[in-house]
Amino acid sequence: MLLYTSFPVDVFQVMAGVLKRLNPFNYYAGCTVACFSLEDQLLFTLMKLRLNCKDLDLAFRFDTSRGTVSNIINTYISVLHEILFEGILLKVGIPSQSNARHPCESHLKTLVLQELQRMLQKLCRMFLVT
């Protein structure tokens, strides 16, 4: 899992759990994908982001069409953007581009990473309890 996604298995499972709570999605192409589990669809997306696999390569690996892979990836990138960027990072506070060039850039990064880590631990506890 780590090779294909750069996430350990437990982090992948937490992400999948969060996505399950938000399911069903409005798929990009308008048609839902029922032939793959949510975990497989998340794996498609993370493999695309980590390895920059071509859609045709992923289609071959998972024995499906290129259009299905494209539909899944476009949908999940949009969903992950809503969860991670709009749902978490904007609440934590992302520094502006001018502030990021400031000498305290490493301090801001540290604060943001600590807050993200705290939120991920909270999510992990939620899913381990329920």
Side-chain angles (χ1 to χ4, degrees):
M1 182 68 62
L2 192 60
L3 171 68
Y4 294 114
T5 66
S6 75
F7 290 120
V9 174
D10 54 343
V11 173
F12 181 85
Q13 290 172 343
V14 167
M15 290 177 70
V18 169
L19 291 172
K20 281 181 184 175
R21 288 188 176 200
L22 299 175
N23 205 11
F25 309 122
N26 294 325
Y27 280 84
Y28 182 76
C31 57
T32 59
V33 178
C35 57
F36 291 105
S37 68
L38 185 135
E39 289 84 0
D40 285 341
Q41 294 178 52
L42 179 60
L43 182 62
F44 284 172
T45 306
L46 295 176
M47 284 177 69
K48 175 73 171 183
L49 294 172
R50 169 77 172 148
L51 304 173
N52 196 24
C53 295
K54 303 289 184 202
D55 291 354
L56 193 57
D57 177 37
L58 289 170
F60 180 77
R61 288 180 193 217
F62 289 91
D63 193 28
T64 190
S65 71
R66 185 174 164 219
T68 300
V69 170
S70 177
N71 185 21
I72 291 169
I73 290 171
N74 288 331
T75 301
Y76 274 68
I77 285 179
S78 176
V79 169
L80 289 172
H81 177 267
E82 286 181 31
I83 294 170
L84 298 174
F85 181 75
E86 295 173 5
I88 296 176
L89 290 177
L90 286 180
K91 289 180 182 176
V92 172
I94 300 174
S96 67
Q97 197 171 22
S98 61
N99 288 343
R101 291 189 182 126
H102 195 268
C104 65
E105 174 184 348
S106 61
H107 178 68
L108 289 173
K109 278 185 185 177
T110 303
L111 289 176
V112 170
L113 288 174
Q114 286 174 347
E115 185 64 23
L116 283 173
Q117 185 178 26
R118 187 186 66 76
M119 292 178 117
L120 276 173
Q121 288 172 349
K122 185 177 178 182
L123 283 171
C124 286
R125 284 193 301 270
M126 278 179 21
F127 283 101
L128 292 176
V129 171
T130 57

